[in-house]
């Protein structure tokens, strides 16, 4: 038996945190396209079931395009069972909009629901949804399984262990699920892939989101393919990278660079070593310590690279180095300014460095860079 475990698709996400409206609409559609590709993958690869472990949608307001895409994917693949457990972003509106619930759509409730599938019903897929506050309450520990079956439990929440986490919002207390006969705990809520031992018998797994949406979701994304042989004790679970685009963060140390030209060369060197695809979304983070009199034009740098990738942003996290001893005996206005800033006990060293840098730039008549802050 072959099962896809996915979660946190967040269909209909606004995607406006980084992108302009045109690209945000494009990425929003790409999330739907990736979901549709995954279902076609399931149909083409003899997958028997798809488990959606929460947050299929991003908000209670669902567009007709998203609702129709999901409905048609389920209805159009009657040979695949879809096990849909609502997460903290999901609402009943999607199901309420159905005239008829497809027979191959299996739903869960706020008490443990059990479905038996596979040859002779030897595979159990069970699930529990949290209440409106996001808590499982005492129901989490009420799981009852036949240990002779291959048991898959589906939940949506943040893993915890130890203490009394039963009433905590979005908390899945793993201690309450140990030694219950679970072979595979299919989780949702964490947006990166993670697989760990649950107990001597089973594992728990977050597949992560199907597509990264922001730079807090960098790296590979996809789903898990679970393959169960006739022998209950023989199975495998494999992460399958599937996202249409990847998001990356690239740190570039530009210590010692004195010009925008130098910085451009350092960034190009870092990009060459990383080998990112042109379809990627990229955040370049400039780090290091620079001389106060360096020349650095972030707008120019962005123009240099914005056409090399689907999306690029640049964060400047550099610090400026000022050798204050050079100004101790300077009798010019610049020296007076530096000494005044240095004597201000209310300023941090980082603030002093920035103030001195831009003050010296202003005194030198370089107003354009100051206005560009």
């Amino acid at each position: 038996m072959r099962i896809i475990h996915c979660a946190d698709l967040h269909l209909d996400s606004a995607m406006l945190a980084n992108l302009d409206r045109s690209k945000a609409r494009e990425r929003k559609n790409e999330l739907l396209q990736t979901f549709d590709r995954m279902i076609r993958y399931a149909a083409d690869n003899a997958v028997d079931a798809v488990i959606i472990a929460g947050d299929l949608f991003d908000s209670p307001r669902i567009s007709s395009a998203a609702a129709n895409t999901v409905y048609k994917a389920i209805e159009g693949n009657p040979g695949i069972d879809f096990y849909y457990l609502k997460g903290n972003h999901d609402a009943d509106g999607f199901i309420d909009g159905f005239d008829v619930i497809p027979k191959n759509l299996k739903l869960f409730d706020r008490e443990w629901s059990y479905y038996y599938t596979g040859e002779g019903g030897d595979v159990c897929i069970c699930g529990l949804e949290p209440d409106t506050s996001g808590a499982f309450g005492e129901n989490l520990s009420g799981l009852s399984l036949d240990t002779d079956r291959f048991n898959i439990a589906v939940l949506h929440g943040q893993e915890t262990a130890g203490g009394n986490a039963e009433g905590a919002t979005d908390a899945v207390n793993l201690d309450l699920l140990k030694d219950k006969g679970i072979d595979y705990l299919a989780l949702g809520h964490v947006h990166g892939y993670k697989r760990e031992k649950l107990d001597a018998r089973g594992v728990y797994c977050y597949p992560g989101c199907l597509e990264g949406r922001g730079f807090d979701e960098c790296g590979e994304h996809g789903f898990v393919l679970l393959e169960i042989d006739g022998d209950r004790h023989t199975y495998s679970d494999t992460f399958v990278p599937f996202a249409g685009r990847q998001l990356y963060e690239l740190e570039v140390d530009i210590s010692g660079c004195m010009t925008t030209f130098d910085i451009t060369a350092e960034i190009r060197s870092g990009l060459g070593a990383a080998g990112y695809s042109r379809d990627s979304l990229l955040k370049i983070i400039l780090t290091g310590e620079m001389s106060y009199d360096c020349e650095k034009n972030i707008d120019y740098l962005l123009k240099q690279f914005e056409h090399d990738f689907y999306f690029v942003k640049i964060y400047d996290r550099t610090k400026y180095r000022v050798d204050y001893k050079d100004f101790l005996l300077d009798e010019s206005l610049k020296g007076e300014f530096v000494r005044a800033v240095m004597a201000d006990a209310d300023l941090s060293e980082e603030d002093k460095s920035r103030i001195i840098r831009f003050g010296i730039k202003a005194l030198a008549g370089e107003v354009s860079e100051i206005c560009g802050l």
Side-chain angles (χ1 to χ4, degrees):
M1 184 175 186
R2 310 185 90 195
I3 300 172
I4 282 178
H5 168 208
C6 66
D8 300 287
L9 288 82
H10 288 278
L11 303 180
D12 262 359
S13 292
M15 308 297 285
L16 288 168
N18 294 295
L19 305 176
D20 61 30
R21 290 193 176 276
S22 176
K23 282 193 172 179
R25 284 195 299 271
E26 186 174 36
R27 282 295 288 150
K28 186 175 180 178
N29 287 331
E30 287 177 352
L31 296 188
L32 281 175
Q33 291 162 7
T34 301
F35 170 78
D36 189 59
R37 282 195 299 113
M38 181 184 71
I39 304 307
R40 283 189 276 117
Y41 173 98
D44 293 342
N45 290 274
V47 169
D48 301 286
V50 174
I51 294 172
I52 304 170
D55 287 356
L56 173 59
F57 300 100
D58 193 57
S59 70
R61 297 186 63 183
I62 304 167
S63 70
S64 57
N68 289 335
T69 297
V70 175
Y71 182 84
K72 291 298 183 182
I74 297 171
E75 182 190 48
N77 291 279
I80 300 173
D81 286 329
F82 291 80
Y83 296 84
Y84 170 43
L85 181 138
K86 293 193 294 292
N88 55 299
H89 283 257
D90 293 316
D92 292 327
F94 171 62
I95 302 299
D96 292 343
F98 290 175
D99 292 329
V100 177
I101 296 178
K103 292 182 179 179
N104 59 329
L105 176 59
K106 316 297 182 182
L107 303 173
F108 299 94
D109 208 334
R110 292 173 188 166
E111 294 185 358
W112 283 103
S113 303
Y114 300 85
Y115 296 97
Y116 301 96
T117 184
E119 294 185 11
D122 58 351
V123 175
C124 173
I125 300 176
C126 61
L128 173 69
E129 293 179 346
D131 61 26
T132 54
S133 70
F136 292 101
E138 296 180 356
N139 289 333
L140 193 63
S141 57
L143 177 63
S144 178
L145 295 170
D146 180 350
T147 56
D148 288 334
R149 288 189 168 96
F150 186 92
N151 295 311
I152 301 171
V154 187
L155 293 166
H156 185 90
Q158 177 65 52
E159 60 168 304
T160 65
N164 182 15
E166 286 191 27
T169 301
D170 297 330
V172 176
N173 189 343
L174 298 180
D175 286 347
L176 300 178
L177 299 170
K178 292 179 178 179
D179 303 319
K180 292 279 190 175
I182 296 173
D183 293 283
Y184 183 87
L185 176 56
L187 295 173
H189 191 60
V190 173
H191 288 188
Y193 171 70
K194 181 177 182 180
R195 180 190 185 278
E196 301 284 349
K197 287 289 292 181
L198 173 66
D199 54 25
R201 170 167 172 157
V203 300
Y204 69 91
C205 182
Y206 288 99
C209 50
L210 198 56
E211 284 269 356
R213 296 172 299 146
F215 289 102
D216 57 341
E217 297 173 355
C218 290
E220 287 189 326
H221 291 281
F223 57 82
V224 171
L225 181 63
L226 181 65
E227 299 183 84
I228 308 165
D229 290 343
D231 179 359
R232 181 189 63 76
H233 299 287
T234 305
Y235 76 98
S236 65
D237 53 275
T238 307
F239 175 74
V240 180
F242 206 73
R245 298 186 192 275
Q246 305 291 345
L247 293 96
Y248 300 102
E249 287 187 352
L250 175 69
E251 287 195 11
V252 181
D253 188 339
I254 58 172
S255 298
C257 291
M258 291 299 295
T259 67
T260 301
F261 182 85
D262 298 335
I263 298 169
T264 301
E266 286 296 326
I267 294 175
R268 289 204 184 282
S269 176
L271 290 173
Y276 301 136
S277 164
R278 291 180 63 87
D279 292 333
S280 304
L281 292 84
L282 177 63
K283 178 164 74 173
I284 300 170
I285 304 172
L286 303 180
T287 64
E289 191 175 66
M290 307 187 71
S291 172
Y292 76 91
D293 56 349
C294 71
E295 176 266 317
K296 178 177 56 178
N297 187 325
I298 299 298
D299 289 338
Y300 177 85
L301 290 169
L302 193 56
K303 291 293 183 184
Q304 288 286 92
F305 298 101
E306 66 180 0
H307 298 297
D308 293 344
F309 299 93
Y310 181 77
F311 172 80
V312 176
K313 69 191 305 184
I314 297 178
Y315 275 18
D316 184 7
R317 293 183 182 165
T318 56
K319 297 181 179 180
Y320 293 101
R321 180 181 68 256
V322 179
D323 192 344
Y324 307 115
K325 295 194 294 288
D326 292 345
F327 299 94
L328 290 178
L329 302 178
D330 192 327
E331 296 182 359
S332 67
L333 180 59
K334 182 164 52 177
E336 288 292 333
F337 168 72
V338 172
R339 288 191 290 273
V341 173
M342 287 300 299
D344 192 334
D346 293 331
L347 295 173
S348 68
E349 289 300 315
E350 184 173 351
D351 286 340
K352 288 177 182 179
S353 175
R354 289 180 61 84
I355 292 169
I356 289 171
R357 168 177 165 74
F358 291 110
I360 291 174
K361 291 284 186 182
L363 291 171
E366 299 180 28
V367 179
S368 59
E369 183 176 349
I370 310 303
C371 295
L373 283 177

